[in-house]
Amino acid sequence: DQQVKQNSPSLSVQEGRISILNCDYTNSMFDYFLWYKKYPAEGPTFLISISSIKDKNEDGRFTVFLNKSAKHLSLHIVPSQPGDSAVYFCAASAQGGSEKLVFGKGTKLTVNP
Amino acid sequence: DTGVSQDPRHKITKRGQNVTFRCDPISEHNRLYWYRQTLGQGPEFLTYFQNEAQLEKSRLLSDRFSAERPKGSFSTLEIQRTEQGDSAMYLCASSDTSAMNTEAFFGQGTRLTVV
């Protein structure tokens, strides 16, 4: 059973525009959510996270929104840059992040110059 | 370099051979995880340690897989009698659970190819 779902395998946007990556989860015990960025042949790199006590967290060009009632989160990248092209994974954990991370299948973002 | 280090980066082995991977976590991180990633999938949880104690193993983990973290520092993951289906990227991550809401940091991974 897929507890964390990223339903868009790929997304293509123009440089300078907004990229919106979506993620849904089913386990109501999840209370900590993270986004990782991954380049080919490298390990995932932490990008941004959000606790379930918040509905928004910003870090520079990256903002994560959490809608607990819908069990949905999204990552916004504004403005998008070609260097943002990578695979983005949504991950979730219970007990404030002290439990194992459960990952989605990823969304491949391509930012075109 | 104070990041998570994995060795080797690449391993090609013949089916039926045993392989062992090593992970050195970030210093003083008490939690260490092993994940496996195949093409088109997200990282899949294998097992994790709190210091030297192995707290959880995935029920999907074959008994050919074993992991240790003998002194609560580095960890090894061994796969016995490798099969072609074991070909994947093996990822190690570490975190400090003394604080709430802390992220896990991943190493570069070990790419295993079983021929």
Side-chain angles (χ1 to χ4, degrees):
Chain A
D1 62 332
Q2 194 80 19
Q3 296 185 72
V4 176
K5 298 179 184 179
Q6 294 177 257
N7 291 320
S8 298
S10 63
L11 175 67
S12 182
V13 299
Q14 286 299 119
E15 181 179 6
R17 305 295 290 269
I18 184 171
S19 295
I20 300 176
L21 295 92
N22 293 303
C23 177
D24 298 292
Y25 61 97
T26 57
N27 189 338
S28 56
M29 299 300 290
F30 290 149
D31 60 5
Y32 187 52
F33 305 90
L34 308 91
W35 286 93
Y36 284 83
K37 177 180 179 179
K38 188 178 184 301
Y39 294 114
E42 294 186 8
T45 301
F46 170 73
L47 202 54
I48 192 169
S49 63
I50 187 165
S51 163
S52 59
I53 63 173
K54 296 185 176 181
D55 53 19
K56 177 182 174 181
N57 188 27
E58 276 183 88
D59 184 1
R61 296 185 298 113
F62 303 91
T63 303
V64 56
F65 295 92
L66 175 63
N67 182 333
K68 290 188 292 292
S69 61
K71 293 190 174 67
H72 176 83
L73 62 155
S74 60
L75 174 67
H76 293 209
I77 306 173
V78 182
S80 300
Q81 300 173 354
D84 296 329
S85 297
V87 178
Y88 288 78
F89 290 100
C90 171
S93 176
Q95 304 221 16
S98 64
E99 293 295 314
K100 62 181 183 285
L101 293 175
V102 179
F103 285 83
K105 292 187 176 184
T107 296
K108 183 177 181 181
L109 174 65
T110 302
V111 181
N112 301 301
Chain B
D1 186 7
T2 57
V4 177
S5 176
Q6 292 188 244
D7 183 70
R9 291 289 308 275
H10 304 276
K11 178 71 177 179
I12 300 174
T13 191
K14 291 184 178 179
R15 189 176 53 182
Q17 298 294 304
N18 299 345
V19 294
T20 301
F21 310 140
R22 177 181 170 120
C23 172
D24 288 90
I26 293 172
S27 296
E28 298 176 358
H29 273 191
N30 55 0
R31 181 68 59 86
L32 187 148
Y33 303 86
W34 284 100
Y35 285 83
R36 174 174 63 191
Q37 185 179 18
T38 53
L39 197 62
Q41 302 295 315
E44 174 191 30
F45 170 76
L46 294 179
T47 188
Y48 80 86
F49 294 83
Q50 180 78 11
N51 299 312
E52 67 274 11
Q54 188 172 20
L55 295 189
E56 185 177 350
K57 289 174 62 174
S58 168
R59 63 180 183 274
L60 302 175
L61 200 61
S62 160
D63 58 7
R64 296 182 296 105
F65 287 70
S66 62
E68 293 183 340
R69 194 183 183 195
K71 296 182 180 179
S73 56
F74 75 91
S75 176
T76 57
L77 177 68
E78 181 183 19
I79 309 174
Q80 296 182 327
R81 304 180 304 281
T82 52
E83 301 173 357
Q84 287 190 321
D86 297 332
S87 296
M89 172 78 87
Y90 289 83
L91 296 163
C92 176
S94 69
S95 67
D96 177 7
T97 59
S98 62
M100 290 289 283
N101 299 332
T102 57
E103 62 272 17
F105 294 89
F106 282 81
Q108 298 278 58
T110 295
R111 168 71 65 186
L112 173 66
T113 302
V114 182
V115 297

